[in-house]
Amino acid sequence: MAGNVDTRLGSGTTTTGRPRIEELDVIRGFALCGIHVVNVYQQVVFAEMFGDQRGLGITVMPALVRYGFYERFLPIFTLLFGVSFAIFLASAGRRTDKPRAVLARRLGVLAVFGAVHQVFHPGEALLPYAIFGLLVLLPASYLRPRWALVTGLALLLVGAQTVAGYGVMPGLLLVGYALAGLGVTDALSSHARRWALAATALGGVTIAYWCTVAAGIQLPRLSFGATSLPSQLAGVIAGLFYVCLVVLVLRTRAGRVLRWALAPMGRMALTNYLLATLLILTVSPMLGIDGLDDWPAITGLVVGIIALEIAVSRLWLAHFRFGPAEWVWRCATWWEMVPIRR
């Protein structure tokens, strides 16, 4: 069960006294960087070009963004949410006799965040996470990790044939939950050979897919919905490939830079996710971003957002234990004022 999750890695503690897993924070910050790229196109460029049908933007999306970012980083973020679900449930179980009730309240608060955020960013991820968390993750928390993994993979295969983006979420959330219960989070700082082998296998599939697309070969849709099963699975596999690369880089000298820059950003993931929407909607008009030809301004905006969030996260966490949105989330979850100052 989730109570078997080991949390010895990382630095700092949470409200339940659990040590943070710094590698997870780095990966979460890394995922946010990629999500920002896609969100600029979806929130601004495609909104200007297609209005309420901004989903049509995939048909004109630059190849680098479509095959390198779109549906590659959101799966990472989704898996991490499932992992966090398991870790929180295990920690809450050491603090209260009704951890699932607390977790349900936590998801309810997230739904409020998501509902408000949907007004400014249609298609955002927080509200679906809350809904799928209540409908899928909470009942599945009674399963053993291996059964949760099997169920998650089955949901992933089915969901990948339905709706782009949202379809894979239930399966990925459950897979993330299962992986945490199976102790994969413990292996983020060990088993280098296994991570290298995984990166090689996942990278081989990713490169093969890119070559197939570049050659103009049409893969069968293999789905009963509006999406393509090979395309959806290719996005998930590429996301996992990116994660393996980050885990391997964390073992090098460059890993220090990643930890310095991305760990604080990942610790304030909710705040930074919301902040990015505010920055995208306010700064984009100033830069005159309204079409695909504005890629230099788009690049500058994304880099600026990431740099600002790194700086703000480091400065904020030097004085406070949690980001502002994370603090509100924790207070509402536990129904008490959680100390925020260091």
Side-chain angles (χ1 to χ4, degrees), residues 59-225:
T59 60
V60 297
M61 185 177 287
L64 176 62
V65 178
R66 180 172 181 177
Y67 298 110
F69 292 85
Y70 180 67
E71 294 179 352
R72 270 66 180 167
F73 287 86
L74 190 58
I76 301 174
F77 210 57
T78 306
L79 276 171
L80 291 176
F81 186 87
V83 169
S84 298
F85 180 101
I87 293 175
F88 181 88
L89 183 60
S91 298
R94 293 190 287 270
R95 178 172 172 174
T96 176
D97 294 332
K98 298 180 178 180
R100 288 178 177 83
V102 175
L103 188 53
R105 187 162 62 238
R106 179 177 175 84
L107 292 170
V109 176
L110 184 66
V112 175
F113 274 113
V116 175
H117 193 218
Q118 281 277 352
V119 176
F120 303 96
H121 179 192
E124 61 90 51
L126 301 180
L127 184 57
Y129 285 171
I131 294 173
F132 290 137
L134 289 168
L135 296 179
V136 178
L137 278 179
L138 204 56
S141 65
Y142 291 96
L143 296 175
R144 292 183 179 275
R146 285 184 175 81
W147 283 111
L149 179 61
V150 172
T151 305
L153 291 174
L155 286 177
L156 177 61
L157 288 174
V158 173
Q161 302 176 55
T162 57
V163 182
Y166 289 134
V168 298
M169 279 187 178
L172 287 173
L173 289 171
L174 194 48
V175 169
Y177 167 80
L179 291 178
L182 292 171
V184 174
T185 53
D186 305 336
L188 289 173
S189 61
S190 60
H191 302 295
R193 173 179 288 184
R194 295 181 184 179
W195 286 107
L197 290 174
T200 301
L202 294 168
V205 175
T206 299
I207 294 173
Y209 179 76
W210 287 341
C211 292
T212 300
V213 171
I217 300 174
Q218 294 293 328
L219 296 175
R221 296 181 62 85
L222 300 176
S223 65
F224 50 79

Side-chain angles (χ1 to χ4, degrees), residues 8-23:
R8 293 171 293 176
L9 301 177
S11 59
T13 58
T14 66
T15 52
T16 57
R18 172 184 59 81
R20 293 201 65 90
I21 303 176
E22 189 179 39
E23 290 82 357

Side-chain angles (χ1 to χ4, degrees), residues 41-57:
Y41 280 93
Q42 291 184 327
Q43 290 181 248
V44 181
V45 178
F46 300 148
E48 291 287 338
M49 296 176 63
F50 302 100
D52 293 336
Q53 295 182 310
R54 65 188 68 187
L56 296 174

Side-chain angles (χ1 to χ4, degrees), residues 230-313:
S231 173
Q232 292 287 287
L233 294 183
V236 173
I237 291 172
L240 293 175
F241 171 52
Y242 296 166
V243 169
C244 291
L245 291 181
V246 171
V247 171
L248 291 173
V249 171
L250 286 174
R251 291 168 165 73
T252 68
R253 292 184 178 180
R256 297 181 181 179
V257 178
L258 285 186
R259 293 176 188 274
W260 181 90
L262 298 183
M265 187 176 172
R267 288 181 62 180
M268 290 176 51
L270 178 59
T271 296
N272 285 323
Y273 184 64
L274 300 174
L275 176 60
T277 294
L278 175 63
L279 293 173
I280 290 170
L281 295 179
T282 55
V283 178
S284 293
M286 302 178 189
L287 299 177
I289 298 175
D290 58 9
L292 299 174
D293 293 336
D294 298 320
W295 64 266
I298 294 173
T299 302
L301 175 59
V302 172
V303 172
I305 289 174
I306 293 172
L308 178 64
E309 289 187 343
I310 291 173
V312 169
S313 298

Side-chain angles (χ1 to χ4, degrees), residues 323-337:
E326 285 77 8
W327 178 71
V328 172
W329 196 12
R330 281 168 169 78
C331 290
T333 295
W334 291 105
W335 208 244
E336 65 182 26
M337 293 297 292

